[in-house]
Amino acid sequence: MDHASCKVCVTGASGYIASLLINKLLAKGYTVHATLRNLKDQSKVDFLKSFPQSQQKLVLFEANIYNSVEFEHAIKGCEFVFHVATPLIHQPESQFKDITEASLAGSKSIAMFCKKAGTVKRLIYTGSVVSASPMKEDGTGFKDVMDETCWTPLNDSLSYLYHDAYVKDYVYSKTVTEKYMLSCGNNENGGGLEVVTLLCGVVGGDTLQFFTPSSVEICISQITENAKGYKSLEFVQEFLGKIPLVHVDDVCEAHMFCMESSSINGRFLCASSYVSIQEIADHYVLHYPEFTVNQEYADGPKKDMKWGSTKLCDKGFVYKYDARMILDDCIKCARRMGDLQSPYIYIYI
């Protein structure tokens, strides 16, 4: 592949994954069309324009999932499209009833523009492991392993697991959108476009952003006693059996691997480690004695689940970061951002 002449598009440019992906693509010589919801947000524009090679190789476009026709100009002339953006907070004044409708409509437009452009070879969608719960359809238990054959049941059988409406909306939107994206790569449905969905685990590591990413906050919630973050960690374990962890650097390398492969399509789980809440707590207790892990934040629901996915590695991808390295980089990130100061002293009776 001639990197210098290749144009790629990345949606949701200022996000945790997308910003590092853009930085890596620029470093390899690609021309990047990157989308932002608002080009008048100077802080995000300046952030992206601070990357090396951005002056020569980065073109910014204004495009919003809630007004998805805007993506056409960003996609035009590109060979590969990374659809990373996802709505997290619903815009109630929009024509959509929830983020699932908005996400699906936006993804339909992006897939349509990929085909219309006539230059796009592959569409790579950043999915989430929450769309691949190994829970049985009736919610009575788990399948033997978690792999790419697992799909989250979208029925009332899992309602008891959703601790708030936001979590349920997110799970539904990622599951419905991923199913649609995969259908776009089905030649029987008028496809012809190669489509890859990368289902990322809980993403940790450092960041190019100027704040601690929310997924990093979740990873360190046991030592910060962040109740909301820990609730999310607990949900992932109860929903998936254990917690799939993946380093943000590995996530971006996996995206580029799927782009640079001669031919690839289909569904791939993306996580290097599959651990329990207790194992995460044990790591912090052993290696970070300056912090106290309250037992309340160490006891999660215990499931004897196995990670059965090797598809990405079977294609030749190699993860560089294991669970220990991911958690250590989460600590480094939070410390650098000033979110892990000298710990408070807690007295438990």
Side-chain angles (χ1 to χ4, degrees):
M1 185 183 298
D2 182 4
H3 299 180
S5 63
C6 183
K7 293 180 182 178
V8 304
C9 177
V10 180
T11 68
S14 63
Y16 181 29
I17 294 171
S19 58
L20 181 58
L21 176 60
I22 290 168
N23 191 50
K24 284 176 169 286
L25 289 164
L26 292 172
K28 295 189 77 169
Y30 292 101
T31 296
V32 181
H33 290 189
T35 72
L36 286 171
R37 286 194 302 269
N38 181 10
L39 287 181
K40 293 179 182 178
D41 189 333
Q42 202 59 46
S43 64
K44 292 182 179 178
V45 170
D46 291 345
F47 166 55
L48 295 169
K49 285 293 186 180
S50 70
F51 297 168
Q53 305 302 316
S54 62
Q55 298 304 314
Q56 298 79 25
K57 292 285 188 176
L58 179 65
V59 186
L60 299 180
F61 293 82
E62 186 166 283
N64 190 335
I65 290 290
Y66 280 83
N67 188 21
S68 52
V69 295
E70 297 172 331
F71 286 99
E72 182 172 11
H73 295 299
I75 291 171
K76 189 175 181 179
C78 291
E79 292 184 45
F80 301 93
V81 173
F82 297 96
H83 184 20
V84 189
T86 191
L88 296 175
I89 300 175
H90 182 51
Q91 298 178 10
E93 72 281 1
S94 72
Q95 70 271 39
F96 306 113
K97 70 176 183 180
D98 53 30
I99 63 170
T100 298
E101 273 197 1
S103 176
L104 185 57
S107 297
K108 285 182 176 180
S109 293
I110 287 169
M112 178 184 68
F113 293 139
C114 286
K115 295 175 183 178
K116 182 179 178 181
T119 55
V120 179
K121 299 175 181 176
R122 194 170 301 141
L123 171 58
I124 300 164
Y125 173 68
T126 308
S128 169
V129 288
V130 298
S131 68
S133 173
M135 189 74 75
K136 294 178 181 178
E137 282 290 332
D138 60 4
T140 58
F142 285 91
K143 300 172 185 176
D144 294 334
V145 296
M146 180 179 175
D147 60 19
E148 284 82 1
T149 66
C150 298
W151 281 98
T152 296
L154 297 183
N155 55 46
D156 292 337
S157 66
L158 300 187
S159 295
Y160 70 97
L161 292 175
Y162 302 122
H163 52 272
D164 59 38
Y166 169 82
V167 172
K168 182 177 181 180
D169 287 348
Y170 180 73
V171 170
Y172 272 59
S173 71
K174 296 305 288 186
T175 306
V176 170
T177 302
E178 190 204 348
K179 285 186 175 182
Y180 174 77
M181 280 301 197
L182 287 171
S183 75
C184 295
N186 186 339
N187 287 315
E188 294 178 359
N189 293 337
L193 179 72
E194 283 194 323
V195 175
V196 174
T197 62
L198 274 174
L199 282 62
C200 300
V202 178
V203 184
D206 212 336
T207 183
L208 297 176
Q209 298 170 303
F210 302 109
F211 53 88
T212 304
S214 58
S215 59
V216 174
E217 291 181 337
I218 290 171
C219 289
I220 62 172
S221 61
Q222 291 162 296
I223 57 176
T224 59
E225 299 209 357
N226 178 335
K228 185 177 180 181
Y230 180 75
K231 193 71 175 177
S232 296
L233 198 67
E234 193 175 44
F235 165 75
V236 172
Q237 178 162 298
E238 191 166 3
F239 199 65
L240 302 178
K242 287 187 179 178
I243 300 163
L245 286 178
V246 63
H247 198 286
V248 66
D249 192 78
D250 277 336
V251 169
C252 293
E253 290 294 333
H255 278 70
M256 293 192 296
F257 174 84
C258 290
M259 176 186 67
E260 294 176 343
S261 296
S262 58
S263 181
I264 188 171
N265 62 80
R267 195 177 197 224
F268 297 86
L269 289 172
C270 184
S272 64
S273 305
Y274 196 50
V275 298
S276 67
I277 284 176
Q278 186 63 59
E279 287 172 311
I280 295 174
D282 289 346
H283 176 79
Y284 291 141
V285 169
L286 180 62
H287 297 285
Y288 298 93
E290 66 270 31
F291 298 106
T292 300
V293 177
N294 186 341
Q295 192 59 35
E296 177 187 351
Y297 291 93
D299 289 335
K302 296 175 175 62
K303 307 288 183 183
D304 185 22
M305 275 298 303
K306 296 178 181 179
W307 179 260
S309 174
T310 62
K311 275 185 67 177
L312 197 57
C313 294
D314 290 344
K315 286 286 186 180
F317 182 72
V318 178
Y319 291 101
K320 297 179 181 177
Y321 298 85
D322 60 17
R324 177 187 60 80
M325 299 162 75
I326 295 167
L327 297 175
D328 288 347
D329 278 357
C330 286
I331 297 290
K332 290 176 186 176
C333 176
R335 276 181 165 157
R336 186 168 61 82
M337 297 298 176
D339 293 330
L340 273 181
Q341 305 292 345
S342 298
Y344 296 101
I345 298 175
Y346 293 89
I347 300 175
Y348 300 107
I349 300 176

